[in-house]
């Protein structure tokens, strides 16, 4: 019993000793507020952002239908989901090192043991031989071996793998957010193409009307055939432009099909107008951004994963201690195999220490520390990039809002100029080239206004993505949940 007590004492000792640095979250760059918010009042959406389904702020049923397909069918998201499950399984694999390994080995052996014999010559002496016949040996043996985690090497590995699983969970959330934001961007680009097609149809109708006027003026003898030919050329050029709109639209539709896990032939999106309302979410304080972005959470978990591996390498300096026990029965008669006389057992304890490794151990520790420092820099750079992306989106939205207001005024003014110039042409006071000039200016202004609105919608998606899309670090699976996914007994 003494060896067992000794082993128990070692086990209790092991639970209180872990070499290597305990993880402490490093400082990250911070800012009291976002610079681009200065002097700009954001119109907050009436119902805010729906946690998880962030696209609900656009109030578009078709967009909602498409976005919900991403989590279910997007193959990139499925890839990251499988990586997360693999990371969770690795936690169970590492945690198994904390427990003893038990085996049971029943066996049956049939064999013979050779004997010796001798003989002589002469008067009637005979030869003699001796030996033993075949025999059977039965045995049932159980063995237990336990590598004691005295220095916390296994526990540090478990800590690292738990952080790795959380990292993969954050990567999964980031993959979903990225795919959803890409889909929303493609969707609004597609709607912009629909709106452009509608604008060109209306423009073709207006140019057809102008062509009829030049035709009537020509037949009345008040204008030359050059005016009619010029109006016809303008109409045909715009008709050709209208046909070309379908090329880019189909590409956006195909991209959306891919993001939703469908073949392009399986998804058709009905035409619709680009939304006129642009929801802009308040970004909050920069400090909250660290908890709202999955890529920042992934980078932070990477640091803890690498920090724990420093302890794994430091533990290599200390001896490995293991306990072993064997017990069972062995005999040549199955009927009385399990008798005291046939009992076999052994107990053992071993310790192994590397005396010389040619500098491998200190190099491994230094490499682990350097890797940790590398990911600290990556973490801080990720935070800075997040601040930049929010500031970029805010400045773009603020400037585009001002540009949209200016373009709206320009469109109204040019529309009035087209009406006036066309009436003057009817009255014969201006040449038709003046009408062509004003019509071209109007179409250009209308296309610019549409392009600005498209950019505003896309930038609003970029801002939501930069803010984490409603995600929060509290959604990461905790250590207990990860370990519960790997029960000790199946």
């Amino acid at each position: 019993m003494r060896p067992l007590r000794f082993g128990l004492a070692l086990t209790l000792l092991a639970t209180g000793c872990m070499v290597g640095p305990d993880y402490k979250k490093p400082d990250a760059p911070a800012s009291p507020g976002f610079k681009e918010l200065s002097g700009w009042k954001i119109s907050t959406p009436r119902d805010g952002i729906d946690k998880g389904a962030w696209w609900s702020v656009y109030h578009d049923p078709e967009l909602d239908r498409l976005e919900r397909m991403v989590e279910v069918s997007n193959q990139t998201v499925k890839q990251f989901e499988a990586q997360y499950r693999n990371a969770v399984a690795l936690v169970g694999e590492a945690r198994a090192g904390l427990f003893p390994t038990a085996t049971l080995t029943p066996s049956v052996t049939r064999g013979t043991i050779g004997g010796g014999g001798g003989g002589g010559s002469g008067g009637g002496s005979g030869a003699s031989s001796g030996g033993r016949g075949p025999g059977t040996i039965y045995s049932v043996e159980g063995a237990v071996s336990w590598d004691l985690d005295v220095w916390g090497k296994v526990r540090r590995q478990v800590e690292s793998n738990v952080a790795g699983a959380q990292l993969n969970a954050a990567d999964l959330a980031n993959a979903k957010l990225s795919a959803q934001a890409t889909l929303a961007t493609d969707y609004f680009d597609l709607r912009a193409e629909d709106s452009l097609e509608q604008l060109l149809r209306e423009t073709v109708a207006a140019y057809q009307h102008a062509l009829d006027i030049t035709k009537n003026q020509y037949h009345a003898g008040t204008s030359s055939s050059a005016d009619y030919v010029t109006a016809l050329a303008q109409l045909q050029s715009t008709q050709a432009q209208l046909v070309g709109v379908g090329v880019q639209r189909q590409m956006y539709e195909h991209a959306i099909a891919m993001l939703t896990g469908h073949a392009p032939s399986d998804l058709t999106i009905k035409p619709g107008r680009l939304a006129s309302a642009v929801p802009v979410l308040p970004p909050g304080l920069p400090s909250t951004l660290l908890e709202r972005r999955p890529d920042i959470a992934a980078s932070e978990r990477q640091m803890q994963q690498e920090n724990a591996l420093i302890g794994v390498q430091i533990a290599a300096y200390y001896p490995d201690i293991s306990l072993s026990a064997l017990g069972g029965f062995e005999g040549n008669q199955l009927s009385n195999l399990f008798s005291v006389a046939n009992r076999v057992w052994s107990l053992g304890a071993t310790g192994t220490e590397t005396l010389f490794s040619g500098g491998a151990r200190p190099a491994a520790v230094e490499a682990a520390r350097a890797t940790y420092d590398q990911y600290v820099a990556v973490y801080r750079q990720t935070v800075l990039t997040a601040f930049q992306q929010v500031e970029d989106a805010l400045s773009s939205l603020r400037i585009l809002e001002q540009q949209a207001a200016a373009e709206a005024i320009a469109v109204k003014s040019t529309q009035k100029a087209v009406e006036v110039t066309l009436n003057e042409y009817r009255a014969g006071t201006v040449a038709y080239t003046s009408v062509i000039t004003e019509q071209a200016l109007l179409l250009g202004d209308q296309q610019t206004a549409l392009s600005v609105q498209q950019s505003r919608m896309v930038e609003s998606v970029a801002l939501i993505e930069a803010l984490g899309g409603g995600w929060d670090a509290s959604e990461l699976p905790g250590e207990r949940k990860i370990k519960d996914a790997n029960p000790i007994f199946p």
Side-chain angles (χ1 to χ4, degrees), residues 33 86 93 127 231 235 275 280 332 351 377 384 405 416 442 445 457 470:
N86 177 70
E93 184 178 339
L235 173 63
V280 180
N332 55 12
L384 288 173
K416 183 65 176 178
L442 175 59
D445 285 340
M457 297 299 293

Side-chain angles (χ1 to χ4, degrees), residues 66-80:
L66 295 170
E67 289 284 9
R68 293 188 183 280
M69 296 181 188
V70 170
E71 186 168 354
V72 176
S73 304
N74 183 274
Q75 297 305 308
T76 301
V77 172
K78 286 182 176 293
Q79 172 190 338
F80 278 93

Side-chain angles (χ1 to χ4, degrees), residues 21-24 26 83 86-88 90-91 153 155-169 171 297-313 368-369 371-373 375-376:
D22 292 329
Y23 176 70
K24 182 180 179 182
Q83 289 180 1
N86 177 70
V88 171
L90 290 177
V91 173
K153 179 178 181 179
R155 280 169 287 159
R156 287 296 189 194
Q157 187 65 60
V158 171
E159 178 188 348
S160 176
N161 287 9
V162 168
Q166 292 172 327
L167 183 157
N168 278 269
D171 282 343
S299 185
E300 191 272 329
R301 292 290 81 199
Q302 180 79 64
M303 288 189 298
Q304 181 166 11
Q305 183 181 28
E306 298 301 329
N307 181 81
L309 291 178
I310 297 175
V312 172
Q313 296 301 330
R369 293 188 186 277
T371 301
Y372 169 76
D373 292 340
Y375 284 105
V376 170

Side-chain angles (χ1 to χ4, degrees), residues 252-276:
Y252 288 130
E253 188 175 81
H254 299 163
I256 291 172
M258 183 272 295
L259 289 166
T260 57
H262 293 86
S265 59
D266 294 338
L267 181 70
T268 300
I269 301 174
K270 295 180 179 179
R273 288 274 191 153
L274 181 65
S276 57

Side-chain angles (χ1 to χ4, degrees), residues 92 94-102 144-149 154 488-489:
R95 192 167 56 136
L98 294 171
F99 301 96
T101 300
V144 177
S145 62
W146 195 354
D147 292 331
L148 298 180
D149 189 32
V154 176
I488 299 174
F489 299 103

Side-chain angles (χ1 to χ4, degrees), residues 49-54 166 169-174 176-177 288-298 301 464-465 467-477:
I49 188 169
D50 186 3
K51 189 174 181 66
W54 53 264
Q166 292 172 327
D171 282 343
L172 172 59
N174 197 50
K176 290 179 186 177
L177 176 60
T288 64
L289 198 62
L290 274 62
E291 302 298 323
R292 296 164 62 184
R293 284 187 48 137
D295 60 336
I296 293 179
R301 292 290 81 199
I464 293 175
E465 183 180 13
L467 294 175
W471 186 86
D472 189 88
S474 62
E475 296 181 40
L476 284 179

Side-chain angles (χ1 to χ4, degrees), residues 357-424:
S357 63
R361 284 184 296 180
V365 173
E366 183 59 30
R369 293 188 186 277
T371 301
Y372 169 76
D373 292 340
Q374 171 191 341
Y375 284 105
V376 170
V378 170
Y379 168 68
R380 289 171 176 162
Q381 186 62 41
T382 302
V383 172
L384 288 173
T385 300
F387 289 156
Q388 177 194 355
Q389 290 173 344
V390 174
E391 294 280 14
D392 287 348
L394 288 173
S395 64
S396 296
L397 285 166
R398 175 175 56 81
I399 295 170
L400 287 169
E401 183 180 43
Q402 297 170 357
Q403 186 181 2
E407 282 296 334
I409 295 173
V411 168
K412 288 183 179 179
S413 298
T414 314
Q415 285 174 332
K416 183 65 176 178
V418 169
E419 294 176 7
V420 171
T421 308
L422 191 57
N423 289 333
E424 289 177 342

